[in-house]
Amino acid sequence: MSDDHRSVVRRTPYPSSVSQPVVTPLSPSVVYRSVDADELDGHYEGRLTGYSYAREGHPNADVLAAKLAWLEGLTDSEPIGVVTSSGMAALSSVVLGLLRHGDRIVVGSQLYGRSLRLLGTDLARFGVETMMVDPGDRNAIAAAVDTSTTMVLVEVVSNPTLRVADVEALADRCRHHGALLVVDNTFTTPRMFRPFAHGADIVIHSVTKLLAGHADVTLGYAAARNPDLQASLGEAAVTWGLTPSPFDCWLAERGLHTFELRYDRAEQTAAALADALAQLDGVVRVLYPGRADHPDRDRADRLFGSRTGTVVSLELTGGRDDVNAFLRAAPSIAFAPTLGDVATTISHPASSSHRGVDPGERAQLGITEGLLRISVGIEDEELLIAELEEAVAAVASGAGSRISP
Ligand SMILES: *Cc1c(COP(=O)(O)O)cnc(C)c1O
C-alpha cells in the first residue's frame, strides 16, 4: 500500500513511559480497547481493573472522586463515591438508586431551590411521599422521622438565612429508626464540616461551587460509606446517564488544588466583612455563623469548631429600590445567583432562588425584599469591604439611586 492510502485513523498505542506526568493527563477517550475477550471478561467480573466506556467510568472522574473522598474523610477501604455531571445529578443518583415507589422521605424545608422541586414536587409522580421539616427544630425532627421514614435529606447551613441544622438530632433519629441520612455538604464543604463524622450515610455535593471554585464547570459528587449503597447509586448514575465529561473533571481537579487556600481566605474575609457591615447605618441585620449574635451560636460551635463559612447575608433597611441602589453602587462585584466562585458574588433571594416561594412564606423564612446574600471570594479584603461599605453608605444617603448602571 502506498503512503497516500495510509489512513491517519490508525490505532497508535499510547506511548508507554517509566516516568509519570505530575499533572493528571486528560483522557477524553470514550472507549478503551482490550487485548481479547478473556481480558474483557476479567474487567467486567472485577478481577482486572480498567475502563471500557466513558459513561461507565474514566480516569479523570476517578482521580477527582478519590480526592473528594479523601477530603470528606473516607478511608482507603471505603468506596470513593461517584462524580456526576452536576450537583443535581448527584441528588438524582441518590434518589434513583436508593428510593422506590411507596417510600416516605423527610427533607429540610430550606434546601436549594431545585432540590426542593425535585424532592417536593417531581418525586411525587413516582409515588414517593415527601415531608418537609425545619432541620433546626428538634421536636419537629422527632415528630417527622419515624420507622416509616426511608431517607432524610438536609443541608447543614440554610440558604440564605444561614441557620444551622441540628445534625446531631437528625443522625440520632435516623440511626434509631433505620432511615438513611443524606447531607448536601455544598455550602459547608469538608473544610467546615464532615458529615460522615457526624453520622451521615451519604454525602452529596455541587462541585460546581467552592470545590471547583472558578465558576467554569458544572459537576457533582455523591458518596456513600456503605459499599452496597455506593454500588446502587453509582449504577444509577451510569444507567440514567448522569456521569461527567473528562474535561470537566480535569478542570475541577485543577480547581480543587487551591480549595483549602481559597476557602480559608474567603472565610477570613467573610468574618471581617460581617463585623464591618453590622456596624453600619442602613443595615438591619447581618447573618453569619461566626458572629456572637447568630441564633444558632452554640450549635455552630459544636458542629463547625472554629470554622464560620464564606457566606454572609445582610438585610438592608429599605426594599427593592434600596437593593437596586446598593447593587449599582458596588459595580465591581457581580450580581449573580451563584456561590463559591473565586470572585465575590451577591444574590438577592427574593428575586432569584426564592422567587417561586409565596411572599407570606418568604416572610416567615425571614427572606425580605431587603435581604442580600454575599458569597465572599478571594479578593483583597480591605478593597472588598470598602466597596461594600460605600455601597451601603450610598443607599443610606440616597445617592445610590442616582448612580447609573
Ligand atoms: C448549586 C447547588 C446545588 C445544585 O448543583 P448544580 O451543580 O448547580 O447542579 C445543590 N445543592 C446546593 C446546596 C447548591 O448550592
Side-chain angles (χ1 to χ4, degrees):
M1 202 192 301
S2 80
D3 267 6
D4 286 350
H5 291 95
R6 199 160 60 183
S7 172
V8 75
V9 194
R10 66 198 192 287
R11 303 295 184 194
T12 309
Y14 198 74
S16 63
S17 169
V18 288
S19 50
Q20 293 267 312
V22 293
V23 173
T24 306
L26 173 62
S27 304
S29 192
V30 170
V31 282
Y32 290 79
R33 61 193 291 184
S34 303
V35 170
D36 59 20
D38 286 352
E39 189 185 271
L40 196 59
D41 272 350
H43 172 203
Y44 277 120
E45 288 157 15
R47 285 180 281 110
L48 301 170
T49 55
Y51 300 96
S52 59
Y53 189 66
R55 182 172 32 73
E56 313 239 339
H58 54 73
N60 292 106
D62 283 352
V63 168
L64 179 60
K67 286 193 188 239
L68 295 171
W70 184 82
L71 275 175
E72 282 296 1
L74 290 168
T75 61
D76 287 347
S77 61
E78 292 172 308
I80 61 167
V82 63
V83 177
T84 56
S85 55
S86 66
M88 289 313 296
L91 175 59
S92 300
S93 310
V94 169
V95 162
L96 295 166
L98 302 175
L99 294 180
R100 66 183 68 236
H101 190 276
D103 278 351
R104 289 187 65 241
I105 65 171
V106 173
V107 309
S109 50
Q110 282 200 60
L111 296 180
Y112 180 73
R114 280 281 157 187
S115 306
L116 262 190
R117 184 191 152 136
L118 192 159
L119 298 164
T121 309
D122 292 17
L123 264 192
R125 286 192 286 115
F126 298 89
V128 174
E129 191 189 323
T130 302
M131 191 174 170
M132 308 278 173
V133 68
D134 174 353
D137 181 342
R138 195 164 275 233
N139 294 330
I141 292 167
V145 181
D146 60 27
T147 43
S148 71
T149 311
T150 322
M151 181 183 281
V152 174
L153 191 142
V154 292
E155 288 171 29
V156 186
V157 173
S158 72
N159 174 35
T161 52
L162 310 184
R163 297 299 301 264
V164 181
D166 193 340
V167 182
E168 292 148 330
L170 287 159
D172 214 51
R173 200 75 191 162
C174 285
R175 196 179 317 115
H176 197 247
H177 290 294
L180 291 175
L181 179 60
V182 183
V183 173
D184 179 338
N185 203 29
T186 302
F187 220 80
T188 19
T189 84
R191 194 97 177 128
M192 184 168 178
F193 184 70
R194 287 181 166 178
F196 288 126
H198 293 264
D201 299 292
I202 294 168
V203 172
I204 61 173
H205 274 284
S206 170
V207 176
T208 314
K209 310 294 168 51
L210 273 142
L211 293 173
H214 294 70
D216 55 7
V217 59
T218 302
L219 274 186
Y221 174 70
R225 210 169 203 160
N226 176 302
D228 295 332
L229 293 178
Q230 183 60 46
S232 298
L233 70 88
E235 285 294 327
V238 171
T239 306
W240 293 76
L242 307 171
T243 49
S245 100
F247 183 57
D248 288 347
C249 295
W250 187 88
L251 267 183
E253 188 201 342
R254 189 180 212 262
L256 197 60
H257 291 157
T258 53
F259 162 65
E260 285 120 329
L261 279 174
R262 286 185 283 104
Y263 180 92
D264 290 357
R265 170 62 175 260
E267 182 175 72
Q268 192 183 326
T269 304
L273 175 66
D275 289 341
L277 292 173
Q279 314 271 320
L280 303 179
D281 288 341
V283 173
V284 188
R285 58 183 179 139
V286 168
L287 304 164
Y288 185 64
R291 279 183 55 81
D293 60 4
H294 190 279
D296 305 317
R297 173 76 274 133
D298 292 346
R299 191 180 296 153
D301 283 347
R302 274 203 312 282
L303 295 179
F304 309 141
S306 60
R307 293 296 178 181
T308 49
T310 61
V311 177
V312 180
S313 291
L314 79 153
E315 189 177 343
L316 297 176
T317 346
R320 176 66 67 95
D321 289 347
D322 280 1
V323 162
N324 285 338
F326 175 82
L327 294 170
R328 285 194 233 103
S332 74
I333 302 167
F335 173 50
T338 187
L339 68 110
D341 185 12
V342 279
T344 298
T345 51
I346 305 181
S347 72
H348 179 241
S351 67
S352 58
S353 55
H354 291 72
R355 69 176 303 130
V357 180
D358 83 58
E361 203 178 318
R362 246 180 2 224
Q364 222 169 15
L365 293 171
I367 301 168
T368 58
E369 268 295 327
L371 190 73
L372 289 161
R373 185 195 76 186
I374 304 173
S375 166
V376 177
I378 62 170
E379 298 95 334
D380 181 89
E381 178 180 311
E382 271 178 50
L383 288 178
L384 179 74
I385 293 176
E387 180 163 358
L388 289 165
E389 282 175 339
E390 280 164 29
V392 173
V395 175
S397 70
S401 51
R402 289 195 301 273
I403 296 170
S404 53

